[in-house]
Amino acid sequence: MPISDDDRPVHILGAGPGGLATAAALRKRGIRAVILEKSDSVAASWRGHYDRLRLHTTRRWSALPGLPIPRSFGRWVSRDDLVRYLERYAEHHRLEIATGVQVSRIDRIDGNDRATGSAQGESWLLRANGGRELSAPAVVVATGYNHTPHIPDWPGRDDFTNELLHAADYRNAAPYEGKDVLVVGVGNTGAEIAVDLAQGGAERVRLAVRTAPHIVRRSTAGWPAQASGILARRLPTRMVDRAAGVLARVSTPNLTRRGLPRPDTGLYSRVREGAVPVLDVGLIKGVRKGLIEPVAAVDSLEEIKVHLADGGTISPDVVIAATGHRRGLEDLVGHLSVLDDRGLPLAHGRRTLPTAPGLYFTGYTNPISGMLRELALDAERIAKAIARTMT
C-alpha cells in the first residue's frame, strides 16, 4: 500500500504484532496511523523463525485487541498459523501499511512547545529510504525485541572453518542429519533447536550452557505456565522465588548428573534481570535420555575446535549460536538520549520522556507473562495516551 499524503498520521515503525495492535487501537479511536514496514509483508520476523516453533503462550492470551485467534489453531499456536492470524488481523482492521519503507533516523522538528511537552504540531521527522522525509505528531517504534542477530566475538571466531550460524538462520534439522552439532545458549530458542536436532536425526547434539536455566513445564495438569507468570507480576519477588523453587522440585527432575544443575538463584529474581525461564518442550526428556548433552560455555574457537570454559575441547561439524539479538535502535534514535546503556528504551509503553514527547516504544521487554499479551495491553495504553495529546 502506498503512503498517503492526507493529513498527518501517526507513524508506526514495524508491522509485527506490536505495530499492528497499536494501529488498530488508534483506528478504533478515530486516529489515522500508517505502519512503515521495511520488508514486503506483515509479520516478517515471525516468518523467519524455525519451522517447529509454537507459541509458549496460550491462544487466548496471545490474541491482539479486536480479533480472537481461531480455536482451530489449537492451544499452542504454530508459527505459520500466527502469521496467518496477523495477516487476517491487518485485513480485519483495514490497517494502512506501507511496505518497503525503512526508516533510518528519527529527529525532533524545531519549533515544538518543549516547555509543555506537547505532541501537537509537526513534532517528528522520519528519514526513510529513497530520500523520503515524513513528519508526524507522534511516532511508535515497534521494530521488535529480536531485531539484529548477535554472535559473540569469541577469540578465534574468524579462523573457525566448520559451519557457524546464528539461530535466526536455522529452519529445521534436515541439513544437519548425521552431523555433530553444538548449540550455544540455553534460552528457549537454543533449547528448542537442540530438541529439534535430536529428534531430527543429528548424530550428536551438545548444548553449551553458561548459566543453568530455570526449566518450567509449559503446562502442568492443564495449568499453563503463562498463567503463573501473569500472577507473578503482582506478587513480591521473594514469594515467587520460593513458590517456583517448590514447584521445580515437584514437577521437574534434577538433571545435575546429566550436566544441567538446578540454578542457585530465584526464578523471578532472574526474570527481573532479563532472563525468562525455559519452557520445556522436550529438553528434559532429551537430556535424561542422553540425546542432548549439556557442556560448558564456549570460551574460544580454533579452526575445527571449540574450547570450553571448563578446559574441554570438542570438534563439532556445526555450531549454532542461540546467543540472542540486539534491539538495533542506536542508529534510529540513539542521538535522542532515549536509550539506556544496553540499548533499550528508557521509557516504554504509554510513557514518554519529557525530552521526547510523542515518541513511544513497544515490544522491548521480555515479560514472564507473555510478549503478545503485553503488546496487546501496551497498544491500548499507547493509543489512549496519543488520543489525549491529539484532542
Side-chain angles (χ1 to χ4, degrees):
M1 179 184 294
I3 298 176
S4 171
D5 294 328
D6 295 340
D7 305 321
R8 292 171 46 260
V10 172
H11 283 308
I12 299 172
L13 276 58
L20 297 176
T22 304
L26 287 166
R27 181 180 176 85
K28 183 175 71 174
R29 290 166 174 79
I31 298 172
R32 180 170 170 243
V34 175
I35 301 174
L36 308 178
E37 169 55 46
K38 68 178 182 180
S39 74
D40 60 0
S41 62
V42 304
S45 65
W46 285 95
R47 296 173 194 272
H49 286 309
Y50 48 92
D51 296 348
R52 70 171 283 149
L53 176 69
R54 286 185 176 271
L55 297 181
H56 292 161
T57 53
T58 65
R59 180 187 70 252
R60 172 191 172 192
W61 283 325
S62 300
L64 303 180
L67 185 69
I69 297 176
R71 290 179 60 87
S72 60
F73 288 1
R75 193 182 199 191
W76 313 107
V77 180
S78 71
R79 177 201 64 184
D80 292 345
D81 281 340
L82 181 65
V83 169
R84 281 191 280 271
Y85 167 71
L86 294 176
E87 290 173 337
R88 188 181 304 174
Y89 190 87
E91 295 171 0
H92 176 81
H93 289 288
R94 301 191 300 277
L95 302 182
E96 190 172 350
I97 303 171
T99 58
V101 179
Q102 183 168 5
V103 177
S104 58
R105 183 180 171 97
I106 301 174
D107 286 301
R108 284 292 303 271
I109 297 176
D110 292 337
N112 291 290
D113 186 355
R114 295 174 184 264
T116 63
S118 173
Q120 299 282 358
E122 295 186 351
S123 299
W124 297 100
L125 178 68
L126 288 71
R127 305 180 192 277
N129 54 339
R132 283 171 284 197
E133 294 187 347
L134 309 168
S135 64
V139 177
V140 181
V141 181
T143 52
Y145 189 83
N146 296 330
H147 184 271
T148 305
H150 170 71
I151 297 180
D153 190 18
W154 291 304
R157 193 182 86 176
D158 293 341
D159 299 323
F160 188 67
T161 56
N162 285 352
E163 185 177 358
L164 170 64
L165 68 151
H166 191 274
D169 297 316
Y170 177 88
R171 293 296 172 268
N172 56 60
Y176 311 103
E177 185 175 354
K179 294 187 176 182
D180 182 339
V181 185
L182 172 67
V183 180
V184 184
V186 69
N188 279 293
T189 297
E192 191 155 359
I193 288 176
V195 172
D196 196 39
L197 289 163
Q199 295 175 349
E203 180 181 3
R204 188 173 190 179
V205 180
R206 284 176 281 207
L207 183 60
V209 180
R210 182 172 298 279
T211 304
H214 286 273
I215 304 175
V216 177
R217 301 286 188 184
R218 186 169 63 177
S219 179
T220 303
W223 177 265
Q226 183 185 11
S228 298
I230 293 170
L231 292 174
R233 301 193 74 180
R234 301 176 179 274
L235 298 173
T237 300
R238 286 186 178 181
M239 181 184 295
V240 178
D241 283 348
R242 286 196 296 269
V246 172
L247 181 61
R249 288 190 291 274
V250 171
S251 64
T252 59
N254 190 336
L255 300 173
T256 300
R257 291 185 178 181
R258 291 288 187 177
L260 199 58
R262 294 191 189 278
D264 55 8
T265 54
L267 183 149
Y268 201 39
S269 294
R270 289 276 295 279
V271 168
R272 290 191 171 279
E273 296 171 357
V276 297
V278 172
L279 278 294
D280 180 48
V281 291
L283 178 64
I284 292 174
K285 182 178 180 180
V287 172
R288 291 184 76 177
K289 289 191 170 185
L291 301 175
I292 299 171
E293 307 169 47
V295 297
V298 172
D299 186 61
S300 64
L301 307 179
E302 179 190 358
E303 297 182 345
I304 65 170
K305 298 178 181 179
V306 176
H307 299 287
L308 304 176
D310 64 358
T313 298
I314 59 177
S315 299
D317 301 316
V318 183
V319 175
I320 301 175
T323 46
H325 292 71
R326 297 290 184 260
R327 284 3 103 197
L329 295 172
E330 288 80 4
D331 291 342
L332 185 69
V333 296
H335 57 288
L336 297 172
S337 300
V338 294
L339 304 178
D340 64 17
D341 55 7
R342 299 169 296 168
L344 294 170
L346 291 167
H348 193 271
R350 64 187 171 191
R351 297 187 301 113
T352 63
L353 295 176
T355 55
L359 180 62
Y360 299 86
F361 296 87
T362 183
Y364 298 99
T365 61
N366 197 12
I368 193 174
S369 51
M371 174 69 80
L372 290 170
R373 177 181 182 272
E374 295 307 316
L375 287 173
L377 295 173
D378 266 353
E380 294 289 346
R381 294 163 182 160
I382 291 171
K384 288 180 182 179
I386 291 176
R388 284 195 296 269
T389 68
M390 297 183 67
T391 55

